[in-house]
Amino acid sequence: PDAPHPHGGKLSPYVLGPPTVLLSREDEEELADGKTIMRVISNRPADESREGGARRLLMVRDVAAPKDVVLDRIGDFAAYPRMVKGCDACHVYKREGRPDGTEEGR
């Protein structure tokens, strides 16, 4: 658990804060119909034609549940293989307490 991550990173560091992705009117209508909005954010250069590479997935969905329940599910990384289609494994290699009482997992 104390070993450094085996590579220098494939994605640019995540910056905590509101998302910068804007939803269209059509996206808002899909959400109102109970559907999930998904966006793939690629970190490959635009001129790179090969398949694969690093990417992030952004999902937006209205959920009728208390925020603590939703955040507990999001933070349950061990359950991701059951909850997230296409996720075969998810391992937290570092947990760190923050001064505000929250915990950061990597």
Side-chain angles (χ1 to χ4, degrees), residues 16 96-104:
L16 213 46
E96 196 171 293
R98 303 180 97 174
D100 65 0
T102 60
E103 183 179 70
E104 179 179 338

Side-chain angles (χ1 to χ4, degrees), residues 85-104:
K85 184 178 179 179
C87 177
D88 297 326
C90 185
H91 304 282
V92 176
Y93 58 88
K94 181 179 182 180
R95 288 195 185 275
E96 196 171 293
R98 303 180 97 174
D100 65 0
T102 60
E103 183 179 70
E104 179 179 338

Side-chain angles (χ1 to χ4, degrees), residues 11-25:
L11 298 173
S12 56
Y14 180 76
V15 178
L16 213 46
T20 57
V21 175
L22 297 176
L23 299 179
S24 67
R25 184 169 13 116

Side-chain angles (χ1 to χ4, degrees), residues 63-77 79-80 83:
V63 178
K67 66 180 176 181
D68 59 323
V69 171
V70 173
L71 292 173
D72 282 346
R73 290 289 175 100
I74 291 171
D76 187 2
F77 298 112
Y80 273 37
M83 296 189 306

Side-chain angles (χ1 to χ4, degrees), residues 5 18 21 24-28 32 35-36 39 45-46 64 67 71 73 82 91 94 97 105-106:
H5 198 64
V21 175
S24 67
R25 184 169 13 116
E26 292 81 11
D27 291 336
E28 296 284 354
K35 297 179 180 167
T36 301
R39 298 285 182 269
K67 66 180 176 181
L71 292 173
R73 290 289 175 100
R82 285 193 325 272
H91 304 282
K94 181 179 182 180
R106 297 180 188 179

Side-chain angles (χ1 to χ4, degrees), residues 23 27 30-31 35-39 58-61:
L23 299 179
D27 291 336
E30 298 244 342
L31 286 171
K35 297 179 180 167
T36 301
I37 306 301
M38 290 189 285
R39 298 285 182 269
L58 172 76
M59 297 179 70
V60 180
R61 181 167 188 152

